[in-house]
Amino acid sequence: MFMQALWRPMRLAVFLLLAVVAALAAQAQSKGAPPAPVVDSMRGSTPVDKESSPPILYPTENKDVRRTRNYAMQPPTIPHTIDGYQVDKDFNRCMFCHARTAAEAAKSIPVSITHYMDRDNNVLADVSPRRYFCTQCHVPQADAKPLVGNSFVDVEQLLQRKPGVMGSSK
Ligand code: HEC
Ligand code: HEC
């Protein structure tokens, strides 16, 4: 009987205590460390309901000079413009110049043997489907300011470092 009489007020007290604890926890959370800045290279810090002024469109480099590759298996960058080059299931404009049989007339570099190989290393008669959509791996270049930093170090420079010395090569 005694317990039952006490239960009602106790229940209320426990409920009130929990409510206060929850409110305090919520307040502490909202006062915590500021949220990490959102990296959005395209929009920058423009709020979503505002319109940003679009970045300049840089012209694509068209110097026809092959670039040095930065590592052995890098897909070479494209040294010419590719505007309007059609690549779909019916036609591949790139292969029009870069196919083994077209390269001589086009004075281009034929795609290497890897482009004719399937995943089991069988050499096919035509470009392998996994190498068909060229711009998945090869990209044209523009003389634009990089959107994000980059601390890439060529493996040859890495090999020249003294053993045990870390950090950038600068
Ligand atoms: C009209 C012929 C032609 C077409 C079409 C063409 N290319 Fe080229 N490409 C060349 C020639 C010629 C070169 C040699 C460098 C130069 O003159 O620009 C070259 C160079 C390249 C290179 C550099 C290779 C290296 O080893 O550095 C890549 C990569 C490349 N092209 C990719 C492409 C892609 C991808 C397409 C299709 C979107 C394409 N090309 C369409 C003619 C062409
Ligand atoms: C899955 C990625 C990938 C795709 C797709 C791809 N390539 Fe490549 N390409 C590479 C890589 C990696 C290399 C360098 C190593 C090698 O030859 O495999 C290369 C090399 C080349 C080279 C230089 C060959 C040489 O002997 O120096 C040319 C030209 C080229 N690709 C053109 C093309 C064209 C044209 C297409 C579309 C038909 C294409 N690639 C599709 C990854 C790709």
Side-chain angles (χ1 to χ4, degrees):
M1 304 305 120
F2 173 71
M3 284 302 275
Q4 243 169 14
L6 238 124
W7 181 232
R8 243 165 218 275
M10 237 164 75
R11 204 163 53 171
L12 190 69
V14 167
F15 173 77
L16 283 176
L17 193 76
L18 280 178
V20 168
V21 167
L24 283 177
Q27 205 184 24
Q29 212 167 34
S30 68
K31 273 194 202 152
V38 178
V39 178
D40 180 349
S41 46
M42 296 298 276
R43 274 198 80 77
S45 55
T46 316
V48 276
D49 59 341
K50 300 279 181 310
E51 215 168 284
S52 62
S53 48
I56 309 165
L57 278 181
Y58 293 91
T60 309
E61 262 186 27
N62 198 20
K63 295 185 190 149
D64 294 333
V65 180
R66 294 169 72 186
R67 281 170 188 257
T68 308
R69 297 180 201 180
N70 294 304
Y71 53 94
M73 277 302 281
Q74 184 201 323
T77 57
I78 307 175
H80 55 72
T81 54
I82 57 165
D83 297 349
Y85 285 175
Q86 182 186 345
V87 178
D88 56 31
K89 72 176 175 51
D90 300 317
F91 187 71
N92 188 318
R93 187 74 177 89
C94 312
M95 287 305 274
F96 199 73
C97 294
H98 286 283
R100 177 178 58 87
T101 46
E104 195 179 345
K107 297 203 167 40
S108 71
I109 303 103
V111 295
S112 54
I113 185 65
T114 54
H115 295 60
Y116 292 94
M117 279 152 68
D118 69 9
R119 64 178 179 182
D120 299 317
N121 288 351
N122 299 312
V123 180
L124 312 174
D126 208 344
V127 66
S128 167
R130 62 191 194 135
R131 291 273 167 123
Y132 185 83
F133 291 104
C134 319
T135 48
Q136 258 177 274
C137 304
H138 298 281
V139 283
Q141 300 293 296
D143 194 13
K145 196 171 132 271
L147 290 172
V148 288
N150 181 345
S151 57
F152 176 80
V153 180
D154 193 298
V155 70
E156 282 195 28
Q157 281 163 272
L158 262 184
L159 292 173
Q160 282 163 15
R161 280 188 196 166
K162 284 201 190 101
V165 179
M166 300 286 287
S168 90
S169 62
K170 276 174 231 148

